[in-house]
Amino acid sequence: EIVLTQSPGTLSLSPGERATLSCRASQTFNNNFLAWYQQKPGQAPRLLISGASSRATGIPDRFSGSGSGTDFTLTISRLEPEDFAVYYCQQYAGSPWTFGQGTKVEIK
Amino acid sequence: QVQLQESGPGLVKPSETLSLMCTVSDGSMNSYYWNWIRQPPGKGLEWIGYIYYTGTTNYDPSLQSRVTISVDTSNNQFSLKLSSVTAADTAVYYCARAISHRSYFDYWGRGTLVSVSS
């Protein structure tokens, strides 16, 4: 099983600031089969990024994904008020599909 | 746009079987993989398993002995059964679509909370 470790656990930032979220895998991916999701309280997760760097339909370009191998990053270039939420990475390179434990982006 | 909706009892007794249904609207079930994912209160996401529209399944090994996912394409529904539940199975259960057997989840239901308690 591929274990994903996200850091930091909580990120305290102000609107307009840049957010950098990390997701590290316990095994190397050869195919960048990694997705990022945003989840707000009481809501289902929403797909942001697939294939490590491809934005899903309708996702603003302030969200970007990068990385390969074992280290992946989600960057939010300038935080908007609606971006404060919990973010999860998920790998689909090897079954069982697994998620990271999440990073909470909170208002400072 | 595809919509998914979970339904089923919100309370299940310990040792009994949890049963949920997911209804898929505004889209065909053909050629997609239909998943169940759960989230214990205040915790992260856990993939349970998927079923292909033909009936092929894949389950998380840690739950495999207790899980059954089935599909009814004629009614655009798929279901989850989890046997011998304990309090540790208390969670919000989501159904979600994947475009292949090795894929992210592009559409999700809103989720339904199932509590295990006597």
Side-chain angles (χ1 to χ4, degrees), chain A residues 22-87:
Chain A
S22 173
C23 177
R24 176 164 290 179
S26 61
Q27 303 173 33
T28 298
F29 299 177
N30 292 323
N31 43 31
N32 287 350
F33 282 173
L34 187 110
W36 289 94
Y37 301 85
Q38 176 192 69
Q39 187 178 35
K40 296 180 180 179
Q43 296 185 18
R46 177 175 72 144
L47 177 67
L48 298 176
I49 301 283
S50 64
S53 61
S54 298
R55 272 189 304 276
T57 302
I59 301 303
D61 61 7
R62 64 180 181 273
F63 291 92
S64 63
S66 63
S68 63
T70 60
D71 291 309
F72 298 87
T73 300
L74 175 70
T75 301
I76 311 171
S77 59
R78 287 178 56 87
L79 283 164
E80 297 288 342
E82 62 268 27
D83 299 337
F84 292 92
V86 179
Y87 293 84

Short mmCIF file of all heavy atoms in Angstrom, two decimals, chain A residues 22-87:
data_model
loop_
_atom_site.label_atom_id
_atom_site.label_comp_id
_atom_site.label_asym_id
_atom_site.label_seq_id
_atom_site.Cartn_x
_atom_site.Cartn_y
_atom_site.Cartn_z
N SER A 22 2.38 20.15 0.67
CA SER A 22 3.24 19.05 0.25
C SER A 22 2.56 17.70 0.45
O SER A 22 1.79 17.51 1.40
CB SER A 22 4.54 19.08 1.04
OG SER A 22 5.32 17.93 0.77
N CYS A 23 2.85 16.77 -0.45
CA CYS A 23 2.36 15.40 -0.37
C CYS A 23 3.52 14.48 -0.75
O CYS A 23 4.03 14.58 -1.86
CB CYS A 23 1.17 15.21 -1.30
SG CYS A 23 0.50 13.52 -1.38
N ARG A 24 3.92 13.65 0.18
CA ARG A 24 5.06 12.75 -0.06
C ARG A 24 4.59 11.30 -0.02
O ARG A 24 3.88 10.90 0.90
CB ARG A 24 6.15 12.98 0.97
CG ARG A 24 7.33 12.03 0.86
CD ARG A 24 8.52 12.54 1.63
NE ARG A 24 9.09 13.72 0.98
CZ ARG A 24 10.14 14.39 1.46
NH1 ARG A 24 10.71 14.01 2.59
NH2 ARG A 24 10.61 15.44 0.83
N ALA A 25 5.00 10.54 -1.02
CA ALA A 25 4.59 9.14 -1.13
C ALA A 25 5.66 8.20 -0.60
O ALA A 25 6.85 8.49 -0.67
CB ALA A 25 4.28 8.80 -2.58
N SER A 26 5.21 7.05 -0.09
CA SER A 26 6.14 6.06 0.46
C SER A 26 6.84 5.25 -0.63
O SER A 26 7.82 4.55 -0.36
CB SER A 26 5.39 5.11 1.40
OG SER A 26 4.36 4.42 0.69
N GLN A 27 6.32 5.35 -1.87
CA GLN A 27 6.93 4.67 -3.00
C GLN A 27 6.90 5.60 -4.20
O GLN A 27 6.03 6.46 -4.30
CB GLN A 27 6.16 3.40 -3.38
CG GLN A 27 6.00 2.37 -2.30
CD GLN A 27 5.07 1.25 -2.72
OE1 GLN A 27 5.01 0.88 -3.90
NE2 GLN A 27 4.33 0.70 -1.78
N THR A 28 7.83 5.42 -5.09
CA THR A 28 7.90 6.25 -6.30
C THR A 28 6.76 5.91 -7.26
O THR A 28 6.46 4.73 -7.48
CB THR A 28 9.23 6.02 -7.01
OG1 THR A 28 10.30 6.42 -6.14
CG2 THR A 28 9.31 6.83 -8.29
N PHE A 29 6.15 6.97 -7.83
CA PHE A 29 5.21 6.79 -8.92
C PHE A 29 5.99 6.97 -10.21
O PHE A 29 6.77 7.91 -10.34
CB PHE A 29 4.14 7.88 -8.97
CG PHE A 29 3.27 8.00 -7.79
CD1 PHE A 29 2.33 9.01 -7.74
CD2 PHE A 29 3.35 7.14 -6.73
CE1 PHE A 29 1.49 9.16 -6.66
CE2 PHE A 29 2.53 7.27 -5.64
CZ PHE A 29 1.59 8.30 -5.61
N ASN A 30 5.71 6.15 -11.20
CA ASN A 30 6.31 6.39 -12.51
C ASN A 30 5.38 7.13 -13.45
O ASN A 30 5.75 7.48 -14.55
CB ASN A 30 6.71 5.06 -13.15
CG ASN A 30 7.86 4.41 -12.39
OD1 ASN A 30 8.75 5.11 -11.92
ND2 ASN A 30 7.83 3.10 -12.28
N ASN A 31 4.16 7.36 -13.04
CA ASN A 31 3.15 7.86 -13.96
C ASN A 31 2.40 9.09 -13.44
O ASN A 31 1.43 9.52 -14.04
CB ASN A 31 2.15 6.74 -14.25
CG ASN A 31 1.78 6.00 -12.99
OD1 ASN A 31 1.78 6.58 -11.91
ND2 ASN A 31 1.47 4.72 -13.12
N ASN A 32 2.86 9.66 -12.32
CA ASN A 32 2.22 10.88 -11.79
C ASN A 32 0.72 10.72 -11.57
O ASN A 32 -0.04 11.67 -11.77
CB ASN A 32 2.48 12.07 -12.72
CG ASN A 32 3.92 12.55 -12.62
OD1 ASN A 32 4.67 12.12 -11.75
ND2 ASN A 32 4.30 13.43 -13.52
N PHE A 33 0.31 9.55 -11.14
CA PHE A 33 -1.10 9.31 -10.89
C PHE A 33 -1.45 9.85 -9.50
O PHE A 33 -1.68 9.08 -8.55
CB PHE A 33 -1.44 7.83 -11.01
CG PHE A 33 -1.58 7.32 -12.42
CD1 PHE A 33 -1.74 5.98 -12.66
CD2 PHE A 33 -1.55 8.19 -13.49
CE1 PHE A 33 -1.88 5.49 -13.96
CE2 PHE A 33 -1.67 7.73 -14.80
CZ PHE A 33 -1.83 6.38 -15.03
N LEU A 34 -1.50 11.17 -9.40
CA LEU A 34 -1.79 11.83 -8.14
C LEU A 34 -2.81 12.93 -8.35
O LEU A 34 -2.71 13.70 -9.31
CB LEU A 34 -0.52 12.42 -7.52
CG LEU A 34 -0.81 12.95 -6.10
CD1 LEU A 34 -0.16 12.10 -5.05
CD2 LEU A 34 -0.42 14.40 -5.96
N ALA A 35 -3.80 12.99 -7.45
CA ALA A 35 -4.85 14.00 -7.52
C ALA A 35 -4.88 14.81 -6.24
O ALA A 35 -4.43 14.36 -5.19
CB ALA A 35 -6.21 13.32 -7.76
N TRP A 36 -5.43 16.01 -6.35
CA TRP A 36 -5.66 16.87 -5.20
C TRP A 36 -7.14 17.21 -5.13
O TRP A 36 -7.78 17.46 -6.17
CB TRP A 36 -4.86 18.16 -5.32
CG TRP A 36 -3.38 18.01 -5.15
CD1 TRP A 36 -2.45 17.83 -6.13
CD2 TRP A 36 -2.66 18.07 -3.91
NE1 TRP A 36 -1.19 17.77 -5.58
CE2 TRP A 36 -1.29 17.92 -4.22
CE3 TRP A 36 -3.02 18.25 -2.58
CZ2 TRP A 36 -0.28 17.92 -3.25
CZ3 TRP A 36 -2.03 18.25 -1.62
CH2 TRP A 36 -0.69 18.10 -1.94
N TYR A 37 -7.68 17.26 -3.91
CA TYR A 37 -9.07 17.60 -3.67
C TYR A 37 -9.15 18.70 -2.61
O TYR A 37 -8.30 18.77 -1.71
CB TYR A 37 -9.87 16.40 -3.15
CG TYR A 37 -9.86 15.21 -4.08
CD1 TYR A 37 -8.82 14.28 -4.04
CD2 TYR A 37 -10.88 15.00 -4.99
CE1 TYR A 37 -8.80 13.19 -4.89
CE2 TYR A 37 -10.88 13.91 -5.84
CZ TYR A 37 -9.83 13.01 -5.78
OH TYR A 37 -9.81 11.93 -6.63
N GLN A 38 -10.20 19.49 -2.70
CA GLN A 38 -10.54 20.49 -1.70
C GLN A 38 -11.82 20.05 -1.01
O GLN A 38 -12.78 19.63 -1.68
CB GLN A 38 -10.78 21.84 -2.37
CG GLN A 38 -11.22 22.95 -1.45
CD GLN A 38 -11.72 24.15 -2.25
OE1 GLN A 38 -12.78 24.08 -2.89
NE2 GLN A 38 -10.99 25.25 -2.22
N GLN A 39 -11.85 20.15 0.32
CA GLN A 39 -13.07 19.82 1.05
C GLN A 39 -13.40 20.92 2.05
O GLN A 39 -12.57 21.27 2.88
CB GLN A 39 -12.95 18.48 1.78
CG GLN A 39 -14.27 18.01 2.41
CD GLN A 39 -14.18 16.68 3.10
OE1 GLN A 39 -13.16 16.34 3.69
NE2 GLN A 39 -15.26 15.91 3.03
N LYS A 40 -14.62 21.41 1.96
CA LYS A 40 -15.13 22.40 2.91
C LYS A 40 -16.06 21.70 3.89
O LYS A 40 -16.61 20.64 3.57
CB LYS A 40 -15.84 23.52 2.17
CG LYS A 40 -14.90 24.30 1.26
CD LYS A 40 -15.61 25.41 0.52
CE LYS A 40 -14.63 26.15 -0.37
NZ LYS A 40 -15.28 27.24 -1.15
N PRO A 41 -16.26 22.28 5.08
CA PRO A 41 -17.09 21.61 6.10
C PRO A 41 -18.47 21.24 5.58
O PRO A 41 -19.16 22.06 4.96
CB PRO A 41 -17.16 22.66 7.20
CG PRO A 41 -15.92 23.46 7.05
CD PRO A 41 -15.67 23.53 5.58
N GLY A 42 -18.86 20.00 5.83
CA GLY A 42 -20.18 19.54 5.43
C GLY A 42 -20.34 19.25 3.96
O GLY A 42 -21.46 18.97 3.51
N GLN A 43 -19.25 19.32 3.19
CA GLN A 43 -19.33 19.08 1.76
C GLN A 43 -18.47 17.89 1.35
O GLN A 43 -17.54 17.50 2.06
CB GLN A 43 -18.87 20.33 0.98
CG GLN A 43 -19.75 21.54 1.19
CD GLN A 43 -19.32 22.70 0.32
OE1 GLN A 43 -18.59 22.52 -0.66
NE2 GLN A 43 -19.79 23.90 0.66
N ALA A 44 -18.79 17.36 0.19
CA ALA A 44 -17.94 16.31 -0.40
C ALA A 44 -16.65 16.94 -0.93
O ALA A 44 -16.62 18.13 -1.25
CB ALA A 44 -18.69 15.63 -1.53
N PRO A 45 -15.61 16.15 -1.03
CA PRO A 45 -14.40 16.65 -1.68
C PRO A 45 -14.68 17.05 -3.13
O PRO A 45 -15.56 16.49 -3.78
CB PRO A 45 -13.45 15.44 -1.63
CG PRO A 45 -13.94 14.64 -0.47
CD PRO A 45 -15.43 14.81 -0.48
N ARG A 46 -13.91 18.03 -3.60
CA ARG A 46 -14.01 18.49 -4.99
C ARG A 46 -12.67 18.30 -5.66
O ARG A 46 -11.64 18.73 -5.12
CB ARG A 46 -14.42 19.97 -5.03
CG ARG A 46 -14.46 20.56 -6.44
CD ARG A 46 -14.97 21.97 -6.48
NE ARG A 46 -14.04 22.96 -5.94
CZ ARG A 46 -13.90 24.18 -6.43
NH1 ARG A 46 -14.59 24.56 -7.49
NH2 ARG A 46 -13.07 25.04 -5.85
N LEU A 47 -12.67 17.69 -6.83
CA LEU A 47 -11.43 17.46 -7.57
C LEU A 47 -10.85 18.78 -8.05
O LEU A 47 -11.53 19.58 -8.70
CB LEU A 47 -11.70 16.55 -8.76
CG LEU A 47 -10.52 16.26 -9.68
CD1 LEU A 47 -9.46 15.42 -8.97
CD2 LEU A 47 -11.00 15.57 -10.96
N LEU A 48 -9.57 18.99 -7.73
CA LEU A 48 -8.85 20.18 -8.21
C LEU A 48 -7.87 19.84 -9.33
O LEU A 48 -7.82 20.51 -10.36
CB LEU A 48 -8.06 20.81 -7.06
CG LEU A 48 -8.80 21.32 -5.85
CD1 LEU A 48 -7.79 21.80 -4.81
CD2 LEU A 48 -9.75 22.45 -6.23
N ILE A 49 -7.06 18.82 -9.07
CA ILE A 49 -5.92 18.49 -9.92
C ILE A 49 -5.87 16.99 -10.13
O ILE A 49 -6.10 16.22 -9.18
CB ILE A 49 -4.59 18.92 -9.24
CG1 ILE A 49 -4.56 20.42 -8.95
CG2 ILE A 49 -3.38 18.47 -10.08
CD1 ILE A 49 -4.29 21.31 -10.15
N SER A 50 -5.58 16.55 -11.35
CA SER A 50 -5.31 15.15 -11.63
C SER A 50 -4.00 15.04 -12.38
O SER A 50 -3.50 16.06 -12.91
CB SER A 50 -6.44 14.52 -12.43
OG SER A 50 -6.55 15.13 -13.71
N GLY A 51 -3.45 13.84 -12.44
CA GLY A 51 -2.18 13.67 -13.13
C GLY A 51 -1.09 14.57 -12.61
O GLY A 51 -0.20 14.99 -13.36
N ALA A 52 -1.17 14.89 -11.34
CA ALA A 52 -0.21 15.73 -10.61
C ALA A 52 -0.27 17.21 -10.97
O ALA A 52 0.06 18.05 -10.13
CB ALA A 52 1.22 15.22 -10.77
N SER A 53 -0.69 17.54 -12.20
CA SER A 53 -0.58 18.94 -12.62
C SER A 53 -1.71 19.44 -13.51
O SER A 53 -1.68 20.62 -13.90
CB SER A 53 0.76 19.17 -13.33
OG SER A 53 0.83 18.37 -14.49
N SER A 54 -2.69 18.62 -13.83
CA SER A 54 -3.76 19.04 -14.73
C SER A 54 -4.97 19.53 -13.93
O SER A 54 -5.56 18.76 -13.17
CB SER A 54 -4.18 17.88 -15.64
OG SER A 54 -3.11 17.47 -16.45
N ARG A 55 -5.33 20.79 -14.13
CA ARG A 55 -6.48 21.32 -13.42
C ARG A 55 -7.77 20.71 -13.95
O ARG A 55 -7.95 20.55 -15.16
CB ARG A 55 -6.55 22.85 -13.57
CG ARG A 55 -5.78 23.61 -12.51
CD ARG A 55 -6.07 25.11 -12.60
NE ARG A 55 -5.79 25.63 -13.93
CZ ARG A 55 -4.60 26.01 -14.33
NH1 ARG A 55 -3.56 25.91 -13.52
NH2 ARG A 55 -4.44 26.47 -15.56
N ALA A 56 -8.68 20.41 -13.03
CA ALA A 56 -9.99 19.91 -13.42
C ALA A 56 -10.83 21.04 -14.02
O ALA A 56 -10.50 22.22 -13.85
CB ALA A 56 -10.70 19.31 -12.21
N THR A 57 -11.88 20.67 -14.68
CA THR A 57 -12.75 21.65 -15.33
C THR A 57 -13.27 22.66 -14.32
O THR A 57 -13.78 22.30 -13.25
CB THR A 57 -13.93 20.94 -16.00
OG1 THR A 57 -13.44 19.99 -16.94
CG2 THR A 57 -14.82 21.94 -16.71
N GLY A 58 -13.13 23.94 -14.65
CA GLY A 58 -13.68 24.99 -13.81
C GLY A 58 -12.83 25.41 -12.64
O GLY A 58 -13.22 26.31 -11.88
N ILE A 59 -11.66 24.81 -12.48
CA ILE A 59 -10.78 25.16 -11.37
C ILE A 59 -9.94 26.38 -11.76
O ILE A 59 -9.28 26.38 -12.80
CB ILE A 59 -9.88 23.99 -10.98
CG1 ILE A 59 -10.74 22.78 -10.58
CG2 ILE A 59 -8.94 24.38 -9.84
CD1 ILE A 59 -11.72 23.03 -9.44
N PRO A 60 -9.94 27.43 -10.90
CA PRO A 60 -9.20 28.66 -11.24
C PRO A 60 -7.70 28.41 -11.39
O PRO A 60 -7.14 27.50 -10.74
CB PRO A 60 -9.47 29.58 -10.04
CG PRO A 60 -10.68 29.00 -9.37
CD PRO A 60 -10.67 27.54 -9.64
N ASP A 61 -7.06 29.24 -12.20
CA ASP A 61 -5.63 29.00 -12.47
C ASP A 61 -4.72 29.43 -11.33
O ASP A 61 -3.50 29.27 -11.43
CB ASP A 61 -5.21 29.65 -13.79
CG ASP A 61 -5.41 31.16 -13.79
OD1 ASP A 61 -5.74 31.73 -12.73
OD2 ASP A 61 -5.23 31.77 -14.86
N ARG A 62 -5.28 29.93 -10.24
CA ARG A 62 -4.43 30.17 -9.07
C ARG A 62 -4.05 28.85 -8.39
O ARG A 62 -3.15 28.83 -7.56
CB ARG A 62 -5.12 31.11 -8.06
CG ARG A 62 -6.39 30.57 -7.43
CD ARG A 62 -6.97 31.61 -6.45
NE ARG A 62 -8.19 31.13 -5.80
CZ ARG A 62 -9.40 31.26 -6.30
NH1 ARG A 62 -9.55 31.87 -7.48
NH2 ARG A 62 -10.46 30.79 -5.65
N PHE A 63 -4.73 27.76 -8.74
CA PHE A 63 -4.38 26.42 -8.24
C PHE A 63 -3.45 25.76 -9.25
O PHE A 63 -3.76 25.68 -10.45
CB PHE A 63 -5.62 25.55 -8.08
CG PHE A 63 -6.53 25.98 -6.96
CD1 PHE A 63 -7.58 26.85 -7.21
CD2 PHE A 63 -6.36 25.51 -5.67
CE1 PHE A 63 -8.42 27.25 -6.18
CE2 PHE A 63 -7.19 25.89 -4.63
CZ PHE A 63 -8.23 26.77 -4.89
N SER A 64 -2.32 25.27 -8.75
CA SER A 64 -1.42 24.54 -9.63
C SER A 64 -0.80 23.38 -8.88
O SER A 64 -0.57 23.44 -7.66
CB SER A 64 -0.33 25.45 -10.20
OG SER A 64 0.48 25.95 -9.16
N GLY A 65 -0.54 22.30 -9.62
CA GLY A 65 0.09 21.13 -9.05
C GLY A 65 1.40 20.83 -9.74
O GLY A 65 1.56 21.11 -10.94
N SER A 66 2.33 20.27 -8.99
CA SER A 66 3.62 19.92 -9.57
C SER A 66 4.19 18.74 -8.82
O SER A 66 3.65 18.31 -7.79
CB SER A 66 4.58 21.11 -9.51
OG SER A 66 4.83 21.47 -8.16
N GLY A 67 5.30 18.24 -9.35
CA GLY A 67 6.02 17.17 -8.67
C GLY A 67 6.05 15.89 -9.46
O GLY A 67 5.37 15.74 -10.49
N SER A 68 6.85 14.96 -8.99
CA SER A 68 7.00 13.65 -9.61
C SER A 68 7.72 12.73 -8.64
O SER A 68 8.27 13.20 -7.63
CB SER A 68 7.76 13.75 -10.93
OG SER A 68 9.08 14.21 -10.70
N GLY A 69 7.71 11.44 -8.96
CA GLY A 69 8.42 10.51 -8.10
C GLY A 69 7.71 10.27 -6.79
O GLY A 69 6.69 9.59 -6.75
N THR A 70 8.23 10.85 -5.73
CA THR A 70 7.60 10.71 -4.42
C THR A 70 7.14 12.04 -3.84
O THR A 70 6.47 12.05 -2.81
CB THR A 70 8.56 10.06 -3.41
OG1 THR A 70 9.73 10.88 -3.29
CG2 THR A 70 8.96 8.65 -3.85
N ASP A 71 7.49 13.14 -4.47
CA ASP A 71 7.20 14.46 -3.89
C ASP A 71 6.32 15.30 -4.81
O ASP A 71 6.70 15.56 -5.97
CB ASP A 71 8.51 15.22 -3.60
CG ASP A 71 9.28 14.57 -2.46
OD1 ASP A 71 8.66 14.34 -1.41
OD2 ASP A 71 10.47 14.30 -2.64
N PHE A 72 5.18 15.70 -4.26
CA PHE A 72 4.20 16.46 -5.03
C PHE A 72 3.78 17.69 -4.23
O PHE A 72 3.81 17.69 -3.00
CB PHE A 72 2.97 15.58 -5.32
CG PHE A 72 3.31 14.36 -6.14
CD1 PHE A 72 3.73 13.19 -5.52
CD2 PHE A 72 3.23 14.39 -7.51
CE1 PHE A 72 4.06 12.08 -6.27
CE2 PHE A 72 3.55 13.29 -8.28
CZ PHE A 72 3.98 12.12 -7.65
N THR A 73 3.39 18.74 -4.97
CA THR A 73 3.06 20.01 -4.35
C THR A 73 1.80 20.59 -4.97
O THR A 73 1.63 20.54 -6.19
CB THR A 73 4.21 21.02 -4.52
OG1 THR A 73 5.39 20.49 -3.89
CG2 THR A 73 3.87 22.35 -3.88
N LEU A 74 0.94 21.13 -4.12
CA LEU A 74 -0.19 21.94 -4.56
C LEU A 74 0.10 23.37 -4.13
O LEU A 74 0.39 23.62 -2.96
CB LEU A 74 -1.50 21.46 -3.93
CG LEU A 74 -2.73 22.32 -4.22
CD1 LEU A 74 -3.15 22.18 -5.69
CD2 LEU A 74 -3.90 21.95 -3.30
N THR A 75 0.02 24.28 -5.08
CA THR A 75 0.26 25.69 -4.80
C THR A 75 -0.99 26.49 -5.11
O THR A 75 -1.61 26.31 -6.16
CB THR A 75 1.44 26.22 -5.64
OG1 THR A 75 2.61 25.45 -5.36
CG2 THR A 75 1.71 27.68 -5.33
N ILE A 76 -1.36 27.35 -4.17
CA ILE A 76 -2.43 28.32 -4.41
C ILE A 76 -1.73 29.67 -4.44
O ILE A 76 -1.19 30.12 -3.42
CB ILE A 76 -3.51 28.26 -3.31
CG1 ILE A 76 -3.96 26.82 -3.07
CG2 ILE A 76 -4.70 29.13 -3.70
CD1 ILE A 76 -4.86 26.63 -1.86
N SER A 77 -1.73 30.32 -5.58
CA SER A 77 -0.85 31.48 -5.77
C SER A 77 -1.26 32.67 -4.92
O SER A 77 -0.40 33.33 -4.33
CB SER A 77 -0.82 31.87 -7.25
OG SER A 77 -2.13 32.18 -7.69
N ARG A 78 -2.54 32.95 -4.86
CA ARG A 78 -3.06 34.02 -4.02
C ARG A 78 -4.36 33.55 -3.41
O ARG A 78 -5.35 33.34 -4.12
CB ARG A 78 -3.31 35.29 -4.84
CG ARG A 78 -2.07 36.02 -5.27
CD ARG A 78 -2.43 37.25 -6.11
NE ARG A 78 -3.36 38.16 -5.41
CZ ARG A 78 -2.95 39.11 -4.59
NH1 ARG A 78 -1.67 39.28 -4.34
NH2 ARG A 78 -3.85 39.90 -4.00
N LEU A 79 -4.36 33.39 -2.09
CA LEU A 79 -5.52 32.83 -1.42
C LEU A 79 -6.73 33.77 -1.49
O LEU A 79 -6.63 34.95 -1.14
CB LEU A 79 -5.20 32.52 0.04
CG LEU A 79 -4.38 31.25 0.28
CD1 LEU A 79 -3.79 31.27 1.68
CD2 LEU A 79 -5.23 30.01 0.06
N GLU A 80 -7.83 33.21 -1.93
CA GLU A 80 -9.12 33.90 -1.88
C GLU A 80 -9.87 33.41 -0.65
O GLU A 80 -9.60 32.31 -0.14
CB GLU A 80 -9.93 33.61 -3.14
CG GLU A 80 -9.28 34.10 -4.43
CD GLU A 80 -9.34 35.61 -4.57
OE1 GLU A 80 -10.16 36.25 -3.88
OE2 GLU A 80 -8.55 36.16 -5.37
N PRO A 81 -10.84 34.18 -0.15
CA PRO A 81 -11.58 33.75 1.06
C PRO A 81 -12.19 32.35 0.93
O PRO A 81 -12.23 31.61 1.92
CB PRO A 81 -12.66 34.83 1.20
CG PRO A 81 -12.06 36.04 0.56
CD PRO A 81 -11.23 35.53 -0.59
N GLU A 82 -12.61 31.99 -0.28
CA GLU A 82 -13.25 30.68 -0.46
C GLU A 82 -12.25 29.52 -0.52
O GLU A 82 -12.66 28.36 -0.60
CB GLU A 82 -14.11 30.68 -1.73
CG GLU A 82 -13.35 30.91 -3.03
CD GLU A 82 -13.31 32.40 -3.41
OE1 GLU A 82 -13.37 33.25 -2.52
OE2 GLU A 82 -13.18 32.66 -4.65
N ASP A 83 -10.96 29.81 -0.46
CA ASP A 83 -9.95 28.76 -0.55
C ASP A 83 -9.59 28.15 0.80
O ASP A 83 -8.85 27.16 0.86
CB ASP A 83 -8.66 29.29 -1.20
CG ASP A 83 -8.87 29.78 -2.62
OD1 ASP A 83 -9.85 29.33 -3.26
OD2 ASP A 83 -8.07 30.61 -3.08
N PHE A 84 -10.10 28.75 1.87
CA PHE A 84 -9.78 28.22 3.20
C PHE A 84 -10.61 26.95 3.42
O PHE A 84 -11.83 27.00 3.45
CB PHE A 84 -10.01 29.28 4.27
CG PHE A 84 -9.00 30.40 4.14
CD1 PHE A 84 -9.28 31.53 3.37
CD2 PHE A 84 -7.76 30.30 4.76
CE1 PHE A 84 -8.34 32.54 3.22
CE2 PHE A 84 -6.82 31.31 4.63
CZ PHE A 84 -7.11 32.43 3.84
N ALA A 85 -9.90 25.84 3.52
CA ALA A 85 -10.53 24.53 3.48
C ALA A 85 -9.47 23.47 3.82
O ALA A 85 -8.33 23.82 4.15
CB ALA A 85 -11.08 24.25 2.08
N VAL A 86 -9.87 22.21 3.75
CA VAL A 86 -8.92 21.11 3.91
C VAL A 86 -8.61 20.54 2.52
O VAL A 86 -9.51 20.38 1.68
CB VAL A 86 -9.49 20.01 4.82
CG1 VAL A 86 -8.48 18.86 4.96
CG2 VAL A 86 -9.82 20.57 6.20
N TYR A 87 -7.34 20.23 2.30
CA TYR A 87 -6.89 19.71 1.01
C TYR A 87 -6.29 18.32 1.20
O TYR A 87 -5.51 18.08 2.12
CB TYR A 87 -5.85 20.65 0.39
CG TYR A 87 -6.47 21.97 0.01
CD1 TYR A 87 -6.62 22.99 0.95
CD2 TYR A 87 -6.94 22.19 -1.28
CE1 TYR A 87 -7.24 24.19 0.61
CE2 TYR A 87 -7.55 23.39 -1.63
CZ TYR A 87 -7.69 24.38 -0.68
OH TYR A 87 -8.30 25.56 -1.02
#
